[in-house]
Amino acid sequence: SQQGEEDPQALSIQEGENATMNCSYKTSINNLQWYRQNSGRGLVHLILIRSNEREKHSGRLRVTLDTSKKSSSLLITASRAADTASYFCATVRGSNYKLTFGKGTLLTVNP
Amino acid sequence: GAVVSQHPSWVICKSGTSVKIECRSLDFQATTMFWYRQFPKQSLMLMATSNEGSKATYEQGVEKDKFLINHASLTLSTLTVTSAHPEDSSFYICSATFPNTQYFGPGTRLTVL
């Protein structure tokens, strides 16, 4: 079964606006990661947040993790048309690096 | 650094034939590689964990005799789809771990006619 569930499934915004995507999971985790996938391409690793961390920043990205609610959010600030892609959260439960992906959010940034 | 390549990037084959997909880590050695399958507009589903020098570990529901995985060296893992059928048409993506981050290949689009 899917470990991660993202919402919304699709999000359409204007360039310059912020985009927020959420991810929920069901079991305890070692860390949670966010990936981006452009249509028909491979995945690009965006950010990793460990289970003992609550917030992390990387450029225009801000990730939060609430282990009590088993949820995470990805915020992209000042979005650009080039941010148009699918975004997936993925959880790691043990030390074997196996990733369990959520269903993803399709983000469209309109110029 | 940490580049993973896949070959071919796309392949079309006839039903009943076998197709081999290669996954290479170009600038690092990876003792563990993973194979995923992604159907259109869906998420990635882990198929198997490939460990160099040992048998692959398959996820529940994945037929090991249909999806043959070989990890002959620290930089190469191959996935062979045997006796492919149209329902095997999908996007196959590999990843390699270094040192504790997974780096993904660009994917291989398989279409079985």
Side-chain angles (χ1 to χ4, degrees):
Chain A
S1 62
Q2 289 284 353
Q3 170 74 314
E5 300 274 343
E6 286 98 330
D7 75 88
Q9 290 189 349
L11 179 62
S12 182
I13 59 174
Q14 295 299 122
E15 216 168 17
E17 295 180 340
N18 296 341
T20 300
M21 288 159 271
N22 302 297
C23 167
S24 61
Y25 56 93
K26 297 176 182 174
T27 64
S28 62
I29 60 172
N30 181 298
N31 64 70
L32 184 145
Q33 303 178 35
W34 284 90
Y35 288 84
R36 184 185 74 215
Q37 183 182 36
N38 289 84
S39 181
R41 308 290 293 275
L43 272 72
V44 174
H45 183 262
L46 296 176
I47 198 164
L48 179 154
I49 187 165
R50 293 182 171 80
S51 59
N52 61 352
E53 297 177 307
R54 291 297 167 259
E55 188 171 312
K56 210 161 181 181
H57 297 254
S58 177
R60 295 184 295 114
L61 306 180
R62 173 177 169 256
V63 169
T64 63
L65 179 65
D66 187 334
T67 52
S68 66
K69 295 181 180 178
K70 293 186 170 57
S71 67
S72 173
S73 68
L74 170 67
L75 168 68
I76 303 175
T77 60
S79 64
R80 305 166 182 168
D83 294 330
T84 294
S86 290
Y87 291 82
F88 295 93
C89 70
T91 54
V92 176
R93 292 175 62 185
S95 57
N96 59 7
Y97 308 120
K98 280 175 62 173
L99 290 168
T100 303
F101 282 87
K103 295 180 179 178
T105 293
L106 175 59
L107 173 66
T108 302
V109 182
N110 301 299
Chain B
V3 177
V4 177
S5 70
Q6 279 184 243
H7 178 80
S9 56
W10 59 269
V11 56
I12 301 173
C13 69
K14 292 182 179 179
S15 187
T17 61
S18 294
V19 174
K20 179 186 283 188
I21 302 170
E22 293 184 349
C23 176
R24 293 180 186 273
S25 56
L26 298 184
D27 48 3
F28 64 98
Q29 294 183 329
T31 54
T32 302
M33 292 184 173
F34 298 91
W35 286 97
Y36 297 84
R37 181 167 54 183
Q38 185 181 33
F39 292 107
K41 298 187 191 262
Q42 293 189 25
S43 187
L44 281 75
M45 294 298 293
L46 178 65
M47 298 176 68
T49 303
S50 171
N51 295 298
E52 187 268 336
S54 64
K55 291 183 179 180
T57 303
Y58 291 81
E59 295 299 300
Q60 192 173 4
V62 178
E63 300 174 58
K64 62 180 181 180
D65 294 329
K66 181 169 183 63
F67 298 100
L68 301 179
I69 292 173
N70 183 278
H71 195 151
S73 76
L74 288 171
T75 60
L76 173 65
S77 175
T78 60
L79 167 67
T80 301
V81 183
T82 62
S83 186
H85 292 284
E87 57 265 30
D88 298 323
S89 297
S90 189
F91 193 53
Y92 292 86
I93 307 176
C94 73
S95 70
T97 303
F98 178 78
N100 51 20
T101 297
Q102 283 194 36
Y103 294 92
F104 285 81
T108 296
R109 174 78 56 194
L110 170 63
T111 302
V112 185
L113 302 177

